[in-house]
């Protein structure tokens, strides 16, 4: 139970441990940005410039529902092309996608053992799909593995986000899901992360996620939960599908005060490419990206395609091959190439490195937590 006494921020001894780790891993600090060099002539047409930038800094797509979509198909061929889904290897290459987060979210109403079982089945399916596309896809867990996959000409696949019900209210199950590859967990839909915020067990879940390197996803979380996680987590957090509520009043979109708090905490807002949350045109999506960048900062905005999730997409952004159209629109609006590089690739890499770094530090001073929900939230 000593684990429960952790301070919200490192004490002097813990800070010393972080300093020692920073010396041992100088390139893996939480807030470091990717180095950037211009890759195109500013006089090029926007689409040509967009493709040149994406060739060097491909898209890290924060949310893709392909495993769930494939589950409904009797047969598919992702390597040569699959017209029944929005995502396949040829279109990923055409869209300059370098990494994908594969959603493991479950249908509404599943909880307890059913949720755990369904999540394990989703993990098994996702791994089977990756194995069947070894020429185009590569399973990854860390920032280094993601970069290696890109350098080998493969699309890196990270598993998550999964919903909090998949834990079955057990930290032991969280650890096993992490061993199976889970890297992002959405903190909604459970008693310990509700409209009232985090309970004591919910706080312990966040601490254990930090120790493991599982990133907290706060899209759809209550304001109380979001703010408590921002104050508690030592690793960067993200919102996997959140745009600007001031432009479109969707419940998963964030108001400006929360966008500013997320930016101050060096978190990441992944703007979804959906007609419902961002609008029906590519210009609407660009408006949200402009707004989030202005409020939260260029280092705190990314992209979430939400392809194959059942969502309707804006015009000209119908599948994973369409990212150059969006980047060209941003260039027409005067985005600097360095900011585009952060948007597409650098910011996700920063968050992944931050999660890896925090986990190394936490594992040196914390044993796996044995706390249970009955002990803490009775």
């Amino acid at each position: 139970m000593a684990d429960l006494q952790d301070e919200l921020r490192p004490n002097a001894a813990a800070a010393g441990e972080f300093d020692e780790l920073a010396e041992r891993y100088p390139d893996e600090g939480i807030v470091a940005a990717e180095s950037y060099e211009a890759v195109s002539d500013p006089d090029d047409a926007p689409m040509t410039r967009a493709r040149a930038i994406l060739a060097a800094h491909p898209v890290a797509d924060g949310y893709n529902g392909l495993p769930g979509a494939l589950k409904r198909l009797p047969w598919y061929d992702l390597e040569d092309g699959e017209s029944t889904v929005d995502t396949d290897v040829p279109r990923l290459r055409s869209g300059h996608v370098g990494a994908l987060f594969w959603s493991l979210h479950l249908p509404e109403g599943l909880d307890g053992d059913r949720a755990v079982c369904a999540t394990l089945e989703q993990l098994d399916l996702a791994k089977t799909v990756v194995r069947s596309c070894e020429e185009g896809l590569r399973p990854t867990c860390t920032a280094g593995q993601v970069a290696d996959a890109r350098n080998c000409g493969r699309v890196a696949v990270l598993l998550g986000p999964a919903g909090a019900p998949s834990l079955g209210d057990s930290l032991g199950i969280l650890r096993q899901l992490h061993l199976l590859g889970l890297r992002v967990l959405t903190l909604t839909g459970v008693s310990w992360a509700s409209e009232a915020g985090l309970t004591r067990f919910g706080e312990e879940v966040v601490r254990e996620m930090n120790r493991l390197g599982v990133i907290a996803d706060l899209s759809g979380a209550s304001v109380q939960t979001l703010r408590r996680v921002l104050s508690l987590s030592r690793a960067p957090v993200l919102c996997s599908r959140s745009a600007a509520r001031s432009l479109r009043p969707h419940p998963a979109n964030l108001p400006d005060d929360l966008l500013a708090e997320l930016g101050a905490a060096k978190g990441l807002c992944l703007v979804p490419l959906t007609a419902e949350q961002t609008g029906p045109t590519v210009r609407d999506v660009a408006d949200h990206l402009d707004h989030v960048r202005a409020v939260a900062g260029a280092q705190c905005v990314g992209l979430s395609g939400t392809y194959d999730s059942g969502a309707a997409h804006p015009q000209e952004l119908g599948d994973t091959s369409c990212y150059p159209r969006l980047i060209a629109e941003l260039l027409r609006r005067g985005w600097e190439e360095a900011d585009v590089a952060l948007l597409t690739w650098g910011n996700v890499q920063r968050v992944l490195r931050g999660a890896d770094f925090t986990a190394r530090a936490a594992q040196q001073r914390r044993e796996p937590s044995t706390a249970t929900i009955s002990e803490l939230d009775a």
Side-chain angles (χ1 to χ4, degrees):
M1 300 295 290
D3 291 340
L4 300 178
Q5 306 305 317
D6 277 0
E7 299 177 2
L8 298 185
R9 298 294 177 193
N11 57 27
E17 292 171 1
F18 274 86
D19 293 340
E20 180 181 348
L21 275 169
E23 294 176 1
R24 291 172 56 192
Y25 306 102
D27 296 327
E28 302 195 29
I30 291 179
V31 298
E34 294 252 318
S35 60
Y36 172 77
E37 295 182 2
V39 297
S40 67
D41 186 327
D43 293 329
D44 288 348
M47 184 62 77
T48 301
R49 292 178 61 204
R51 292 192 181 280
I53 295 170
L54 289 171
H57 306 278
V59 171
D61 186 332
Y63 192 98
N64 184 283
L66 183 62
L70 294 180
K71 188 176 181 179
R72 299 187 290 270
L73 298 180
W75 184 89
Y76 51 86
D77 184 349
L78 297 179
E79 289 280 12
D80 291 333
E82 181 54 62
S83 62
T84 56
V85 293
D86 300 329
T87 308
D88 56 29
V89 172
R91 280 180 285 182
L92 290 171
R93 295 194 189 283
S94 179
H96 296 280
V97 177
L100 287 170
F101 286 81
W102 272 3
S103 166
L104 303 174
H105 280 154
L106 304 173
E108 293 289 336
L110 287 182
D111 55 17
D113 292 345
R114 292 193 305 155
V116 175
C117 181
T119 301
L120 291 174
E121 290 176 347
Q122 291 250 54
L123 282 165
D124 178 66
L125 174 61
K127 293 188 174 191
T128 300
V129 172
V130 174
R131 284 196 301 268
S132 72
C133 298
E134 58 183 13
E135 293 301 314
L137 306 177
R138 175 172 292 186
T140 57
C141 293
T142 66
Q145 291 174 1
V146 169
D148 288 344
R150 183 192 69 174
N151 293 337
C152 294
R154 305 293 191 272
V155 178
V157 174
L158 298 115
L159 299 179
S166 64
L167 303 191
D169 297 335
S170 167
L171 295 177
I173 293 176
L174 171 63
R175 286 189 284 272
Q176 294 308 306
L177 291 176
H178 172 263
L179 286 175
L180 292 172
L182 179 66
R183 287 301 177 268
V184 185
L185 186 73
T186 305
L187 300 184
T188 60
V190 287
S191 63
W192 44 266
S194 65
E195 289 296 320
L198 293 179
T199 66
R200 292 183 66 207
F201 180 75
E203 293 177 353
E204 191 69 354
V205 170
V206 173
R207 295 188 184 100
E208 191 67 7
M209 289 169 67
N210 282 181
R211 195 189 71 82
L212 294 170
V214 176
I215 301 167
D217 171 22
L218 299 173
S219 275
S222 68
V223 173
Q224 290 81 0
T225 295
L226 191 150
R227 286 187 165 138
R228 182 56 177 151
V229 174
L230 287 180
S231 69
L232 179 65
S233 177
R234 293 175 176 172
V237 305
L238 58 80
C239 293
S240 66
R241 294 171 295 165
S242 293
R245 189 175 295 178
S246 63
L247 300 184
R248 201 165 185 89
H250 189 279
N253 291 347
L254 297 178
D256 286 357
D257 59 336
L258 292 183
L259 283 173
E261 291 180 36
L262 185 66
K266 303 302 180 185
L268 180 57
C269 180
L270 297 164
V271 174
L273 276 56
T274 67
E276 183 180 10
Q277 282 186 253
T278 51
T281 71
V282 65
R283 294 181 181 85
D284 293 318
V285 178
D287 287 343
H288 283 269
L289 293 172
D290 281 340
H291 189 86
V292 174
R293 182 181 66 155
V295 175
Q299 293 191 8
C300 298
V301 58
L303 297 171
S304 180
T306 63
Y307 292 111
D308 293 305
S309 65
H313 298 284
Q315 299 169 16
E316 300 186 79
L317 298 175
D319 59 51
T320 53
S321 70
C322 298
Y323 281 107
R325 297 173 184 170
L326 175 60
I327 302 308
E329 173 64 23
L330 297 178
L331 294 174
R332 293 187 190 101
R333 292 172 178 232
W335 278 53
E336 297 291 336
E337 292 184 9
D339 283 358
V340 174
L342 289 175
L343 170 76
T344 59
W345 185 259
N347 289 337
V348 168
Q349 280 290 87
R350 174 183 62 81
V351 170
L352 290 172
R353 286 199 309 269
D356 295 344
F357 179 85
T358 302
R360 287 194 182 103
Q363 288 167 16
Q364 290 194 4
R365 61 185 179 82
R366 279 176 57 99
E367 294 296 320
S369 175
T370 59
T372 65
I373 191 169
S374 59
E375 292 173 343
L376 300 183
D377 292 351

